[in-house]
């Protein structure tokens, strides 16, 4: 069997795709890079907003045409596969295999019988499964929990991924060992709400550490860099901020989705915190980790959001001074409480607010990134950049960075770089040695030939 996977959505989906792909390989499949070469195409789907669902529809449309001309098995997994909406789409586009987020290990059985597997029974089997480490990669994901116990009114995730189930710390540490052995330098701990780790349905699980304790345990493993995502402000406690500050491997990066700066909107979203409470968490992070790079998620145009509510979001942005933000237009998702109970705002109003928010985000990202100009940063370079003679990677604060290749730094690895130019989106730097001096750039690097008269020209 020649199999090809297409992945949409979040880092959880990337992890799940890796897991299923390793199952397929162990079943004897060859993974191929394109649909043309494949006799089995599996799409890992996202259902969090309307757009990713539209994308799946359009890819399935093309695959159905292809299937009419030759033998092709089509599979659909991930959040959309779990929903009634996804099952209708699957019927329409003649999808052969459906695999819900809790049934990933059933891929073999599904292929054999062309039956459909869905359900949310994560528990032991999936959590005890240790996928092989990614080949030749310095960066890896590690799932520490699945599902979510919150019920934000706009969010489909509790429906698609079910209630929260934390993974046993022994399994997490076992998987971490395999990553360390494979040479991984940066691990991102994944969960819908990692701060609630060890507290499934609100109660502390016997034998499980809290998330703060887990951070310290993972930090003691010797892995150079730890990141984590995502945090719900409701479950964010000061001991997490303290563990971050006291664990050198934990990167100076926090993604704390706020969604809105208006208390009225936060209540309608059922976010279970106020603007003031959120700001205390930010203050705690800044106390324990003064250099932290702060990122957030914001939804604009939630039903009933007034201009005044939106102004509260803009003023919160200024008060926090975020380094970056993922900004979304509210997307009504069938099956969510806000879809059932609230009237969607006009499209133009939502778009206009998003544009105003993007202006603010760019101003802040430019300002926050400029503070790194001239500083020395640890950079994890993953390989060749688009421009010849360069490597690309990212900092501990998650800024994309590009550097010219230098003697002693010709390929992927963990290095130090002086940041020589910044934009709202990325950094440009030069690699430096242990003595603090710039490493000499490889002779085959010719800025003129690469069309780069100055570092900024490539940003
Ligand atoms: N509409 C728009 N954005 C949404 N998100 C989740 N559900 C919706 C929705 N219905 C955003 C939130 C969340 C991120 C993963 O996606 O900001 O943090
Ligand atoms: Fe959705 Fe809220 Fe759970 Fe995040 S924490 S997945 S926004 S319900």
């Amino acid at each position: 069997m020649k199999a090809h996977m297409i992945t949409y959505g979040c880092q959880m989906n990337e992890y799940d795709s890796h897991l299923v792909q390793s199952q397929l390989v162990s079943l004897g499949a060859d993974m191929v890079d394109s649909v043309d070469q494949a006799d089995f195409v599996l799409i890992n789907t996202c259902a969090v907003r309307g757009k990713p669902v539209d994308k799946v529809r359009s890819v399935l449309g093309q695959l159905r045409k292809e299937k009419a001309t030759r033998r092709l098995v089509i599979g659909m997994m991930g959040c959309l596969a779990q929903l009634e909406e996804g099952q209708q789409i699957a019927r329409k586009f003649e999808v052969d295999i459906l695999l819900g987020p809790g049934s990933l290990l059933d891929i073999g059985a599904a292929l054999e019988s062309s039956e459909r597997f869905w359900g949310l029974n994560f528990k032991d089997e999936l959590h005890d499964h240790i996928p092989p480490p990614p080949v030749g990669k310095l960066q890896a994901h590690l799932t520490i929990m699945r599902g979510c116990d919150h019920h934000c009114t706009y969010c489909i995730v509790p429906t698609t991924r079910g209630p929260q189930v934390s993974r046993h710390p022994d399994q997490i540490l076992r998987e971490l060992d395999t990553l360390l052995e494979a040479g991984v330098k940066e691990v991102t701990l994944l969960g819908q709400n990692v701060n609630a780790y060890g507290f499934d349905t609100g109660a502390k699980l016997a034998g499980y550490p809290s998330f703060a304790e887990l951070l310290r345990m993972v930090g003691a493993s010797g892995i150079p860099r730890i990141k984590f995502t995502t945090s719900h402000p409701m479950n964010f406690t000061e001991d997490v901020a303290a563990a971050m500050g006291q664990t050198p491997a934990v990167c100076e990066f926090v993604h704390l989705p706020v969604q809105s700066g208006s208390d009225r909107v936060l209540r309608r979203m059922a976010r279970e915190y106020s603007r003031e409470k959120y700001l205390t968490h930010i203050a705690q992070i800044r106390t324990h980790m003064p250099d932290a790079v702060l990122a957030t998620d914001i939804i604009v145009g939630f039903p009933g959001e007034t201009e005044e509510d939106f102004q509260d979001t803009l003023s919160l942005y200024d008060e926090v001074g975020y380094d970056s933000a993922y900004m979304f237009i509210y997307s009504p998702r069938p099956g969510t409480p806000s879809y059932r109970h609230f009237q969607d705002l006009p499209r133009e109003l939502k778009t206009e607010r998003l544009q105003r928010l993007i202006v603010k985000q760019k101003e802040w990202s430019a300002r926050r990134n400029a503070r790194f100009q001239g500083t020395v940063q640890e950079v994890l370079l993953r390989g060749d950049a688009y421009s010849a003679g360069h490597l690309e990677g990212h900092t501990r604060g998650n800024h994309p960075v590009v550097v010219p290749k230098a003697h002693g730094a010709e390929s992927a690895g963990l290095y130090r770089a002086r940041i020589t130019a910044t934009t709202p989106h990325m950094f440009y730097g030069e690699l430096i040695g242990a003595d603090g001096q710039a490493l000499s750039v490889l002779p085959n690097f010719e800025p003129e030939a690469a069309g780069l008269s100055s570092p900024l020209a490539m940003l």
Side-chain angles (χ1 to χ4, degrees):
M1 180 175 62
K2 292 195 181 342
H4 176 64
M5 282 195 74
I6 303 173
T7 305
Y8 296 110
C10 61
Q11 298 181 67
M12 302 283 293
N13 266 16
E14 282 172 29
Y15 178 93
D16 287 348
S17 284
H18 170 68
L19 194 152
V20 169
Q21 190 163 316
S22 59
Q23 287 291 103
L24 287 171
V25 170
S26 72
L27 292 168
D30 280 336
M31 298 309 299
V32 293
D33 293 332
S34 70
V35 169
D36 304 346
Q37 300 163 273
D39 43 40
F40 174 45
V41 176
L42 181 57
I43 309 179
N44 195 355
T45 60
C46 170
V48 81
R49 283 174 294 278
K51 260 196 194 150
V53 176
D54 293 343
K55 264 196 211 147
V56 170
R57 267 204 199 90
S58 103
V59 171
L60 283 175
Q62 288 159 13
L63 288 176
R64 186 174 53 178
K65 273 192 209 145
E66 181 105 13
K67 193 176 169 178
T69 66
R70 67 185 177 94
R71 214 186 91 77
L72 181 67
V73 176
I74 303 173
M76 184 167 136
M77 60 180 270
C79 285
L80 187 59
Q82 187 64 36
L83 297 174
E84 181 52 43
E85 184 186 10
Q87 285 154 30
Q88 274 168 16
I89 292 174
R91 274 192 292 276
K92 175 165 174 205
F93 292 100
E94 297 159 36
V95 169
D96 305 288
I97 288 164
L98 265 177
L99 218 55
S103 314
L104 306 182
L105 295 176
D106 295 321
I107 180 72
L111 273 167
E112 249 172 42
S113 62
S114 270
E115 266 181 41
R116 302 175 168 205
F117 287 78
W118 61 83
L120 293 169
N121 51 337
F122 292 128
K123 298 268 158 145
D124 303 339
E125 203 195 358
L126 196 51
H127 275 177
D128 292 351
H129 180 80
I130 312 266
V135 180
K137 293 230 174 104
L138 301 180
Q139 223 185 330
H141 296 133
L142 208 181
T143 290
I144 64 165
M145 66 187 323
R146 289 174 178 273
C148 179
D149 283 341
H150 285 281
H151 293 283
C152 305
T153 53
Y154 53 80
C155 191
I156 197 70
V157 170
T159 313
T160 60
R161 289 191 173 251
Q164 174 181 322
V165 184
S166 298
R167 195 170 180 197
H168 195 277
D170 291 351
Q171 305 299 356
I172 297 173
L173 295 177
R174 266 180 61 210
E175 187 160 328
L176 183 65
D177 276 346
T178 67
L179 298 177
L180 273 165
E181 260 171 47
V184 166
K185 305 281 184 229
E186 179 181 300
V187 65
T188 304
L189 307 178
L190 294 182
Q192 230 63 52
N193 176 14
V194 292
N195 299 98
Y197 173 81
F199 287 83
D200 299 356
T201 60
K204 178 89 163 68
L205 298 169
Y208 283 63
S210 66
F211 182 60
E213 288 159 349
L214 184 72
L215 275 182
R216 293 179 198 272
M217 287 160 75
V218 175
S221 70
I223 189 100
R225 288 186 176 202
I226 304 165
K227 290 177 181 167
F228 55 87
T229 198
T230 287
S231 305
H232 191 300
M234 160 71 184
N235 302 94
F236 194 95
T237 48
E238 187 159 10
D239 61 341
V240 172
M244 289 176 65
Q246 291 160 8
T247 312
V250 173
C251 291
E252 296 71 28
F253 177 80
V254 187
H255 179 231
L256 197 61
V258 67
Q259 313 299 359
S260 167
S262 152
D263 280 336
R264 209 180 65 88
V265 174
L266 288 173
R267 268 197 306 277
R268 285 162 68 88
M269 289 176 165
R271 288 290 287 175
E272 304 174 84
Y273 56 84
S274 62
R275 172 189 177 111
E276 196 191 334
K277 190 84 212 261
Y278 180 87
L279 288 170
T280 2
H281 299 316
I282 297 291
Q284 287 165 349
I285 294 167
R286 290 227 155 105
T287 302
H288 293 278
M289 195 177 250
D291 289 337
V293 168
L294 289 171
T296 197
D297 290 355
I298 296 174
I299 297 179
V300 297
F302 186 75
E305 182 190 76
T306 62
E307 175 59 27
E308 203 186 338
D309 293 322
F310 180 62
Q311 289 294 336
D312 286 345
T313 296
L314 293 178
S315 74
L316 178 97
Y317 207 113
D318 286 333
E319 217 167 320
V320 175
Y322 289 110
D323 293 80
S324 64
Y326 299 94
M327 298 158 287
F328 307 104
I329 283 182
Y330 169 73
S331 169
R333 301 303 299 128
T336 60
S338 64
Y339 176 86
R340 275 196 300 277
H341 301 302
F342 302 140
Q343 177 77 37
D344 195 12
L345 290 175
R347 181 90 210 161
E348 313 76 66
L349 185 82
K350 297 196 289 185
T351 312
E352 186 258 343
R353 286 185 187 160
L354 177 69
Q355 275 155 2
R356 281 154 70 199
L357 185 63
I358 291 174
V359 170
K360 177 144 312 274
Q361 175 266 321
K362 282 202 179 132
E363 279 168 18
W364 270 108
S365 294
R367 190 171 346 159
R368 294 285 292 170
N369 284 357
R371 77 193 161 109
F372 289 97
Q373 172 97 30
T375 64
V376 171
Q377 299 294 317
E378 182 194 88
V379 292
L380 182 64
L381 301 177
R382 71 180 156 268
D384 285 344
Y386 180 68
S387 351
H390 288 73
L391 293 168
E392 66 179 10
H394 58 278
T395 64
R396 290 173 64 91
N398 258 4
H399 309 93
V401 61
V402 172
V403 293
K405 289 182 184 175
H407 285 288
E410 290 91 355
S411 59
L414 202 54
Y415 301 105
R416 295 196 322 143
R418 183 173 292 110
I419 305 305
T420 50
T422 69
T423 74
H425 312 292
M426 67 178 300
F427 291 178
Y428 185 89
E430 59 182 3
L431 290 162
I432 61 168
D435 57 359
Q437 298 300 310
L439 298 177
S440 58
V441 168
L442 288 188
N444 64 1
F445 172 67
E446 293 170 26
E448 304 300 329
L452 310 164
S453 47
S454 79
L456 273 176
M458 70 178 301
L459 296 178

